[in-house]
Each structure stands twice: as C-alpha cells, then as structure tokens.
Amino acid sequence: MPPHEAPVDLPALRPNPGRPFGLYIHVPFCITRCGYCDFNTYTPAELGGVNPDAWLNALGSELELAAARLGGPTVGTVFVGGGTPSLLGGERMATLLGMVRGHFVLAPDAEVTTEANPESTWPEFFAAIRAAGYTRVSLGMQSVSPRVLGVLDRVHTPNRSAAAAREALAEGFDHVSLDLIYGTPGESDDDLARSVDTAVGAGVDHVSAYALLVEEGTALARRVRRGELAAPDDDVLAHRYELVDARLSAAGMAWYEVSNWSRPGGECGHNLGYWDGGEWWGAGPGAHGHVGATRWWNVKHPNAYAEMLAGAALPVAGFEELDGDALHTEDVLLKTRLRQGLPIDRLGVAERERAETVVADGLLVTDGDRLVLTPRGRLLADAVVRSLLG
C-alpha cells in the first residue's frame, strides 16, 4: 500500500466555451507489463486491495466531483485509455460510460473511444460496447512479426490484432484504429511492411505508427544498457517512417498528424482536441487534465486514488499554472505536427523570420496562411519547432 498522500486543491477552473472539451479516463490495469512501457499501469500482483470494481466506484466519485467543479461543459469526446481498458469487459465498460452520461452532457455527435488489447477482446465484447455507445476502438497491434512481438513482451499472437479489428468492424464500428511500433531491435523492413499491409488489409480507417522509445526505468532500457539489445538507430527509424508513410499513402490513408494516418473522416477527434488547443479533464490514477492555463495530474497508485476519493477529495497530486510563454511553446509544438499546419499569425516577428530560414531549408512549406511540414520536415519535427522558437 503506498503511503497516504494529502490531496492538493485545484484553483477555479472555467472551461472556454469556444474550445473543444473532452474527458480522458485512465484504466490502470494490465495482465503483464510490456518491456518498453512506462505508462502508469499495474499488474494484479502489484495492486493489493484495488480491483476493477473498486476502481470503477472511485472513478464515479471523481466524475461527480469533476462535473461539480467544472459547471457542466458539453463533452465532445471521451477517450478510455490505459493500461488495458478491455480487461474491464463489456459490462463494466458500459457502466463506465453510463457514469459519464450521469454526470456530464455528451454532445449528440460525441466521439467515444476505447483502447483495447487484442488478446482481451472478442465479438461479444465489441457488441456490448457498441450497444453502450462507444463509437471508436483503438487496438494495440505493434507488429505481426513473432520476433518483434517477443522483444516487446507482447502476449497476443501475430494474427490476433487484425482478427480483432475485423470483429469490431463486423459488430458495427465505423472507426477502428491499429497502432504500430517501428524500430524494434531485430525488426526488418519486411517485418514492418507486412505489419502495415496487414493493418490496411484488416479494413481499418486509421493507423498510428510510433518509433520505439527506450524509456528509463523499463525492462527494455535495462536490456539495452546490458548490451542484450541494440538501441534504435535514428537513421533506421527515419527510413522505417518513410516506409510506413509510403505504404499507407498508397493505400489511401493520409497523414493528419506526424504519427497518425486515416481515411477521410477517420481522424481521432479526441487527440485532435489535444493537438489543436482543446481542454479536458483527466480522470483515473495518474491522469492529467488541462483547463485554461491550469494543468494538473492525479496521484498515480490506484490505492491512493481510491483512498482520496473515499474521503470526498479530488485525487490531485499537483498542478501548475502555465504562463503565456509556456502556452505559446505548446501551441507551436502541437500545431506544427498537424497536416493543417501552424497558422503564421501565431508566430512573433522574430519567429516568422526564423520560419523563412526553415522554409528555405525545405522542412516547411507555406500553404496559404499556414506553415506545413514537408516529408523531410516530418522526420525532423522536433528540430523544426526548436528552430521556430529560437
């Protein structure tokens, strides 16, 4: 059991009615811990007293307190992430969304997404959550190569991800996404090409592809440090990104954010809210929220989370008030990564001068009143942002 943590009171929060508003709900449960993952997740052996039902009860308390604090903004998107939300099963997932509706008003066209791992889904699960009102499913695929899945400590079989996607589509989901990881030690170009082609062949309308990051404190980082595995190579990662982009583009999926591709209408509205200046409440252990200039984060351990809510206190571990410079930096960072680009009028005079140099270097192009990354610029997006900000 973690030590008792004293709750931190948030300042007044006033959602901006002109901005998108979403809910992020963090499910902290996983059957096993993948070697590359540094998310706030817990296996059964690490939890002690908090089980999914106790967590769900605590979540309901947080949603009630959040609604009272915020004054009832209309919610345009809900995203249930983790962890492994599909471990809750269809009935608890329906209960979760019922609690959201009990405390918040959902927009008539609200997007409601859940993440899921292929090994904990089946047709009846997809049917249950679709009937409950979920509109989008995001499945962790990572790869179809047994060798790559082994390095990543993924427990699903190579073909299960595509099969799960087809099951979700068959149960009425119009929007299904598959997530890929590229650059795993031992991965070949052919491994990645087969993974991309399998995702496209499953009929999904969205694919995310992320370069493998070796995060400190993970089992993967320890293996790299011991010399058991090679660290991902930047040149290889760039080549693999180009491979992903070429194959998805040829299949009719266009990039709309550096690591995300979709068919028309398949974009993830919730994530676009993050990237395009939206606001959100983050519920669940370790979740982060952002309203106005205030960003806050919850206590991480599910036991501490439940304990605070049992005392009728928001489970907030800390918060910060972002000043104008910090908000501007985030605005440039996030909007630059989008296909719609960064509005030039968001930049100061000196930043516009620096942008001219970046354009001359072939990393940005001017598209009307916006700056948009070129294909080479997407490979160097972080460097582009640093150049703009100076």
Side-chain angles (χ1 to χ4, degrees), residues 64 96 113 129 132 139 175 200 210 220 224 267 311 340 347 360:
E64 180 178 7
L96 185 159
T113 302
I129 64 171
L139 289 155
H175 303 298
V200 171
Y210 303 103
L220 178 64
V224 169
E267 300 87 352
Q340 67 193 45
L347 298 177

Side-chain angles (χ1 to χ4, degrees), residues 5-166:
E5 297 187 54
V8 174
D9 192 28
L10 286 174
L13 301 174
R14 296 179 179 84
N16 186 327
R19 295 181 184 174
F21 188 86
L23 287 175
Y24 171 76
I25 296 173
H26 187 73
V27 181
F29 308 114
C30 281
I31 291 295
T32 61
R33 186 180 303 282
C34 297
Y36 62 91
C37 180
D38 71 339
F39 293 168
N40 188 45
T41 63
Y42 301 83
T43 63
E46 297 169 325
L47 277 174
V50 174
N51 58 40
D53 291 315
W55 166 83
L56 196 59
N57 183 64
L59 177 70
S61 297
E62 184 182 1
L63 292 174
E64 180 178 7
L65 292 171
R69 177 61 67 96
L70 293 169
T74 297
V75 175
T77 63
V78 179
F79 194 104
V80 184
T84 311
S86 46
L87 285 177
L88 296 176
E91 184 175 343
R92 289 193 189 97
M93 291 289 288
T95 298
L96 185 159
L97 188 52
M99 292 192 308
V100 168
R101 288 197 180 101
H103 297 297
F104 290 89
V105 175
L106 295 190
D109 60 348
E111 174 194 271
V112 183
T113 302
T114 185
E115 293 182 333
N117 275 0
E119 72 277 7
S120 57
T121 60
W122 55 96
E124 293 78 9
F125 169 80
F126 291 122
I129 64 171
R130 185 71 190 95
Y134 289 81
T135 65
R136 192 172 179 277
V137 174
S138 180
L139 289 155
M141 179 179 186
Q142 321 320 344
S143 177
V144 297
S145 165
R147 175 176 64 255
V148 171
L149 292 174
V151 172
L152 296 175
D153 296 321
R154 299 292 291 185
V155 298
H156 61 79
T157 58
N159 296 323
R160 177 58 200 151
S161 300
R166 288 191 290 268

Side-chain angles (χ1 to χ4, degrees), residues 149-242:
L149 292 174
V151 172
L152 296 175
D153 296 321
R154 299 292 291 185
V155 298
H156 61 79
T157 58
N159 296 323
R160 177 58 200 151
S161 300
R166 288 191 290 268
E167 290 168 1
L169 291 165
E171 295 299 335
F173 280 94
D174 295 322
H175 303 298
V176 179
S177 177
L178 285 167
D179 292 353
L180 299 173
I181 288 178
Y182 59 89
T184 300
E187 177 192 64
S188 67
D189 282 359
D190 184 60
D191 289 331
L192 182 57
R194 287 190 296 108
S195 298
V196 175
D197 292 349
T198 299
V200 171
V204 300
D205 67 345
H206 189 285
V207 173
S208 300
Y210 303 103
L212 179 67
L213 296 178
V214 180
E215 303 283 5
E216 282 302 316
T218 63
L220 178 64
R222 291 189 288 272
R223 295 183 70 186
V224 169
R225 190 165 52 247
R226 292 194 297 263
E228 297 175 15
L229 296 171
D233 178 87
D234 288 343
D235 290 337
V236 171
L237 293 176
H239 170 67
R240 297 275 162 75
Y241 179 89
E242 291 173 331

Side-chain angles (χ1 to χ4, degrees), residues 263-288:
R263 301 194 187 282
E267 300 87 352
C268 178
H270 186 83
N271 286 341
L272 279 170
Y274 293 150
W275 301 323
D276 202 24
E279 300 177 322
W280 69 95
W281 185 282
H288 287 228

